[in-house]
Amino acid sequence: MKVAVVGATGLVGSKMLQVLTERNFPVTELIPVASEKSVGKEVTFKGKQYKVVSADTAIAMKPAVALFSAGGGTSTEWAPKFAEAGITVIDNSSAWRMDPTKKLVVPEINGKTLTPEDKIIANPNCSTIQMVLALNPLHEKYKINRVVVSTYQSVTGTGVKAVEQLMNERKGIDGPKAYAHQIDLNVIPQIDVFLDNGYTKEEMKMVKETVKIMGDSNIRVTATTVRIPVMGGHSESVNVAFDNEYDLSEVRSILEKTPGIIVVDDPANAKYPMPKDAHERDEVFVGRLRRDETQEKTLNMWIVADNLRKGAATNAVQIAEFLHAQKWI
């Protein structure tokens, strides 16, 4: 099938091309799309060169599906135009996530809510995806009522410019800045802009998206999102309060049996999830499982994933795989 990747020259777009190749998605023709200044450049896919085209040209080429990773403004403008042409859009930006008419999908959790009529499908925020994948099976068993999450997020979540800033600072080079502060040897407790309630946009994404994906408005979430000088992989400290009592060994067993999750929890041998171990992996890694000794029915856990893969590109491709399996694309 013809597959368009909108934002094909960016960090996530490039990762989408890689994941499409690795997972052997049935691409007969790739249509790489980027901004006007990138039109005519070439990208490599499965050993072949493809010329980058404009969004208008891509629509005229009639792909079956378009994976978008080009920012909210681009998605707001172009996703409806692709959808009107009968092309299914899977969008990685925040543009459609909280639109009540659009599905926000992690296939393992709520893929079954999709229908052939869903022409714009939202891919959740990277930090939300890895958290809900671990939370959902526990919610089904014990009923979650509250989540407190603090994140430790990689510079790759911001983009190429942030990676360059980190590496330049490490080498003592003064260059373009993605952040208002130094990121090397530092931690920045701000991701995205601050809102009127004192939380950042990233924090409120985690709050609202978790409820929407898991389909339960009774789950209360509070978040603090932090940028750290790590090249790839997001980590999260998550405190989960349940309605029902749980058994720690049963929690471990439930997570071990959940597709897409790997439990790494052997503190006696210094084994726990770390970003470097999640690099280029599609699984979500969970460890540091322990009771919160200050509060009943409450669990502490540590969740790590490659933010460019399961947190973005892989989840989008998995949505496309689900649609293809249903013969909707």
Side-chain angles (χ1 to χ4, degrees):
M1 78 178 77
K2 289 184 184 178
V3 176
V5 175
V6 182
T9 57
L11 266 183
V12 175
S14 301
K15 192 61 68 176
M16 284 174 170
L17 298 179
Q18 181 188 333
V19 173
L20 285 166
T21 302
E22 289 173 0
R23 296 177 74 89
N24 209 24
F25 192 78
V27 181
T28 53
E29 183 182 349
L30 178 74
I31 304 171
V33 184
S35 61
E36 291 295 336
K37 67 183 180 189
S38 295
V39 169
K41 288 182 181 175
E42 292 190 334
V43 300
T44 305
F45 179 70
K46 290 191 173 180
K48 284 177 67 178
Q49 298 296 112
Y50 292 86
K51 278 199 188 313
V52 172
V53 301
S54 68
D56 269 327
T57 302
I59 291 171
M61 293 171 76
K62 296 194 182 307
V65 62
L67 307 180
F68 269 62
S69 188
T74 301
S75 295
T76 302
E77 179 183 358
W78 286 101
K81 294 177 182 177
F82 275 74
E84 283 162 21
I87 302 158
T88 300
V89 171
I90 300 169
D91 180 45
N92 194 56
S93 80
S94 60
W96 305 99
R97 290 176 186 155
M98 296 316 298
D99 184 322
T101 68
K102 305 291 183 287
K103 308 279 174 61
L104 182 64
V105 176
V106 176
E108 298 93 331
I109 297 174
N110 62 343
K112 289 177 181 174
T113 64
L114 290 169
T115 70
E117 287 70 48
D118 292 308
K119 286 299 178 188
I120 299 177
I121 301 164
N123 207 37
N125 188 39
C126 47
S127 50
T128 306
I129 290 174
Q130 66 186 71
M131 184 173 76
V132 296
L133 202 66
L135 291 184
N136 194 63
L138 301 180
H139 180 56
E140 289 176 351
K141 178 70 177 177
Y142 307 113
K143 202 84 172 151
I144 293 170
N145 62 59
R146 185 168 186 253
V147 177
V148 183
V149 54
S150 297
T151 71
Y152 306 72
Q153 295 181 225
S154 157
V155 294
T156 56
T158 306
V160 174
K161 192 176 177 183
V163 174
E164 288 173 351
Q165 179 180 338
L166 172 61
M167 298 319 290
N168 282 340
E169 288 172 352
R170 200 148 281 189
K171 294 169 187 169
I173 298 168
D174 190 26
K177 301 283 193 289
Y179 304 119
H181 305 282
Q182 175 183 318
I183 183 62
D184 189 35
L185 300 174
N186 195 26
V187 161
I188 303 173
Q190 176 188 355
I191 298 180
D192 214 323
V193 296
F194 281 101
L195 304 172
D196 290 344
N197 64 356
Y199 287 79
T200 66
K201 213 169 174 182
E202 181 86 355
E203 289 159 355
M204 294 313 297
K205 283 177 192 174
M206 293 193 76
V207 172
K208 293 174 181 175
E209 290 178 24
T210 299
V211 169
K212 184 171 180 178
I213 296 163
M214 293 175 65
D216 190 338
S217 58
N218 293 319
I219 300 172
R220 296 167 299 151
V221 181
T222 186
T224 302
T225 58
V226 181
R227 192 70 69 189
I228 63 170
V230 164
M231 188 61 82
H234 289 352
S235 305
E236 299 170 347
S237 169
V238 185
N239 179 269
V240 193
F242 299 110
D243 283 346
N244 302 308
E245 190 51 84
Y246 68 90
D247 177 77
L248 200 56
S249 60
E250 187 180 45
V251 166
R252 188 175 282 104
S253 175
I254 289 168
L255 291 170
E256 285 172 343
K257 290 172 184 169
T258 300
I261 285 182
I262 293 178
V263 175
V264 183
D265 192 30
D266 183 10
N269 291 299
K271 290 184 179 175
Y272 27 69
M274 293 183 289
K276 72 177 187 62
D277 301 320
H279 184 63
E280 291 293 354
R281 299 284 298 271
D282 285 329
E283 300 90 352
V284 170
F285 296 80
V286 181
R288 297 295 320 278
L289 295 164
R290 63 206 188 279
R291 282 192 169 275
D292 179 343
E293 296 185 340
T294 68
Q295 186 164 282
E296 290 183 350
K297 305 173 191 171
T298 303
L299 173 75
N300 282 310
M301 60 203 301
W302 176 251
I303 304 170
V304 177
D306 186 321
N307 54 296
L308 295 182
R309 290 189 67 103
K310 184 54 181 170
T314 302
N315 197 73
V317 172
Q318 285 175 319
I319 294 171
E321 288 172 343
F322 179 87
L323 299 174
H324 179 59
Q326 307 302 316
K327 298 186 167 53
W328 296 338
I329 59 170

